[in-house]
Amino acid sequence: MSPKPEHHNPLEDARAQLAEAVSFLGLDEGMYQMLAIPRREATVAIPLRRDDGSKEVLIGHRVQHNISRGPAKGGLRFSPNVDIDEVRALAMWMTWKCALLDLPFGGAKGGVQVDPRNYSEGELERITRRYTSELMSFIGPEKDIPAPDMGTGEKNMAWIMDTYSVAKGYTELGVVTGKPIEAGGSRGRAAATSRGVVFCALSAMESLKMEPSKTTAVVQGFGKVGRGAARFLWEAGVKVVAVADIYGAVYHPKGLDVPALEEHVDQTGRVTSFAGAEEIPADSIWGLDVDLLVPAAVEGVLTEENASQVQARLIVEGANGPTTPQADAIFNDKGILVVPDILANAGGVVVSYFEWVQGNQSYWWSEEEVNNRLEQRMKLAWREVGKFARDKQLPLRTAATTMAVERVAQAHLLRGLYP
């Protein structure tokens, strides 16, 4: 996995995408400012007592970008690269994602600047609970609903729910999504983002007349999104010839045995040294002669410097903001179809919505029901964005962002400006 470039600012990319949509829609500068500036932000200190008795202070953020269509919704990431501009950008993309999939949510995001690999489970629990307590008045099932993201998972969500519930004096299932099933989570949630990516990939392949059994793919990232995406592509008959993670990449021209690779990663924690493939430099994956590329790790990895190497006909963004505007322009000139993040990776927030609904009703659906409803939502959004792009002669990213911005702007106009 290639780390995001140090000079890269995702907030600049997010605001550039917004400005393009605002210009296309003929909205005024005032509306641009309302959509560009987050509604609320909080930065908190998180004192931590380490297992050895020492103390340190971590920094956490939570940004609520927009709440005009409903309570804010977005993940919480633990990463050493977290900063406030990254969180602002991710919160904005969540707003567009929820609007595009017609979910009754606005966008939010949270982050703690910490490398979870360097902390014990007990320390991570104390970090999560203190972060929650510092933001107790900021979050809630009708205000802002966190979910897992990079470096966090079901355990973190259970800790948040418990901390919040203890303070309130009753169990509040709806304060987070992505919880363990035993603690009020939804079946199908863990794999939802990956399933959504593959639903979009297969739909895009169909539009390009690409047969899965004759399609080769590269997946960058083998975590929450990339691992599932690789597995579901493999199950669909696609030859996943290379996979990369933070430690390196593995390659096999006839296709990797993805289940065997999953077992290897479970045992070693990395894709490298996998006996069933050749080890290659992580950066070399961009130039491989394949049909499909799925960046599924962090933002800003496809840049002006490496975009010209890409030979894939189709890029499906599993990560948030993996493609810079400069790379986007290169892909457009080369005729590469890019399925944007706010559409491709929306499966997670769709099933988070399902989980929130189930928790509020105290009635849970089967995994088959969840997956069927997810597939319907993703394929409907794919058709709507594709039609808009064709009708307006726009790239898919511009079409998706424009559709989402229009829906949020309409909500602003209908609600009016208080006072």
Side-chain angles (χ1 to χ4, degrees):
M1 181 183 77
S2 303
K4 64 182 180 180
E6 291 185 8
H7 64 276
H8 177 254
N9 186 332
L11 184 59
E12 294 177 2
D13 295 350
R15 287 180 171 166
Q17 293 164 9
L18 171 61
E20 185 179 20
V22 164
S23 175
F24 183 86
L25 293 168
L27 302 176
D28 60 24
E29 176 64 19
M31 181 60 76
Y32 169 79
Q33 292 293 333
M34 289 178 66
L35 298 176
I37 298 173
R39 182 69 173 265
R40 299 189 185 101
E41 297 182 348
T43 296
V44 298
I46 305 170
L48 171 66
R49 183 178 61 256
R50 300 295 301 264
D51 291 340
D52 64 4
S54 64
K55 299 177 181 65
E56 64 179 274
V57 177
L58 305 171
I59 299 298
H61 307 286
R62 188 73 184 172
V63 173
Q64 296 170 1
H65 172 256
N66 193 279
I67 54 173
S68 292
R69 288 172 50 89
K73 186 81 187 76
L76 167 64
R77 64 174 46 183
F78 283 5
S79 167
N81 296 318
V82 164
D83 62 48
I84 188 63
D85 276 355
E86 177 191 57
V87 178
R88 288 167 177 157
L90 293 167
M92 185 185 297
W93 284 322
M94 280 300 302
T95 296
W96 312 145
K97 194 179 300 184
C98 292
L100 186 65
L101 274 292
D102 201 20
L103 306 179
F105 292 138
K109 205 74 176 185
V112 177
Q113 193 175 75
V114 60
D115 188 340
R117 295 171 298 181
N118 298 333
Y119 293 77
S120 70
E121 183 171 307
E123 290 168 338
L124 293 172
E125 179 176 355
R126 294 195 286 277
I127 293 168
T128 304
R129 289 184 182 274
R130 184 58 183 254
Y131 174 86
T132 305
S133 66
E134 293 291 341
L135 293 173
M136 190 66 64
S137 64
F138 207 69
I139 63 174
E142 297 172 342
K143 293 181 181 180
D144 181 355
I145 306 143
D149 198 270
M150 182 191 309
T152 62
E154 291 184 343
K155 287 183 179 178
N156 301 85
M157 297 305 108
W159 296 330
I160 292 174
M161 185 194 73
D162 183 68
T163 306
Y164 185 90
S165 298
V166 168
K168 293 294 182 181
Y170 55 87
T171 297
E172 182 56 82
L173 296 178
V175 67
V176 291
T177 59
K179 303 179 294 294
I181 290 175
E182 299 82 356
S186 174
R187 290 173 174 80
R189 172 60 183 88
T193 305
S194 302
R195 284 192 186 279
V197 168
V198 175
F199 285 145
C200 283
L202 294 174
S203 296
M205 287 160 56
E206 184 179 359
S207 73
L208 295 173
K209 295 181 171 52
M210 296 164 58
E211 295 181 28
S213 62
K214 298 179 180 178
T215 299
T216 54
V218 167
V219 177
Q220 184 246 355
F222 207 67
K224 285 187 177 65
V225 181
R227 177 170 174 159
R231 165 61 83 102
F232 296 139
L233 286 170
W234 180 84
E235 289 179 353
V238 174
K239 293 180 182 177
V240 181
V241 300
V243 167
D245 66 8
I246 196 170
Y247 302 105
V250 289
Y251 169 76
H252 195 298
K254 294 185 179 180
L256 298 167
D257 183 338
V258 174
L261 179 60
E262 290 182 287
E263 290 182 13
H264 170 78
V265 171
D266 288 339
Q267 294 170 3
T268 67
R270 59 184 66 195
V271 300
T272 52
S273 303
F274 176 52
E278 172 191 353
E279 194 167 324
I280 61 174
D283 287 343
S284 68
I285 63 168
W286 309 122
L288 292 175
D289 184 11
V290 294
D291 305 302
L292 168 65
L293 173 60
V294 181
V298 295
E299 66 272 8
V301 295
L302 287 167
T303 66
E304 187 175 16
E305 286 72 32
N306 61 24
S308 59
Q309 302 171 24
V310 174
Q311 299 186 56
R313 297 170 57 196
L314 173 63
I315 298 173
V316 180
E317 296 184 334
N320 291 310
T323 309
T324 66
Q326 296 81 7
D328 236 357
I330 293 171
F331 296 147
N332 193 44
D333 289 343
K334 292 175 68 174
I336 298 173
L337 179 65
V338 179
V339 183
D341 49 1
I342 63 170
L343 171 59
N345 70 21
V349 74
V350 170
V351 179
S352 278
Y353 167 59
F354 295 164
E355 180 179 333
W356 181 72
V357 168
Q358 292 170 81
N360 289 339
Q361 295 178 338
S362 296
Y363 182 83
W364 277 263
W365 309 339
S366 69
E367 185 166 355
E368 183 180 7
E369 286 178 297
V370 171
N371 290 339
N372 287 341
R373 290 171 190 247
L374 170 61
E375 184 173 7
Q376 290 169 8
R377 285 267 185 168
M378 295 301 298
K379 289 186 174 180
L380 175 61
W382 165 261
R383 291 193 298 269
E384 289 178 340
V385 173
K387 184 178 186 304
F388 190 90
R390 290 190 298 272
D391 290 348
K392 305 297 183 181
Q393 296 186 325
L394 295 171
L396 285 180
R397 187 186 313 283
T398 306
T401 304
T402 301
M403 287 176 63
V405 169
E406 185 174 34
R407 290 174 180 176
V408 178
Q410 186 68 11
H412 274 289
L413 293 171
L414 289 170
R415 290 181 59 157
L417 185 62
Y418 175 83

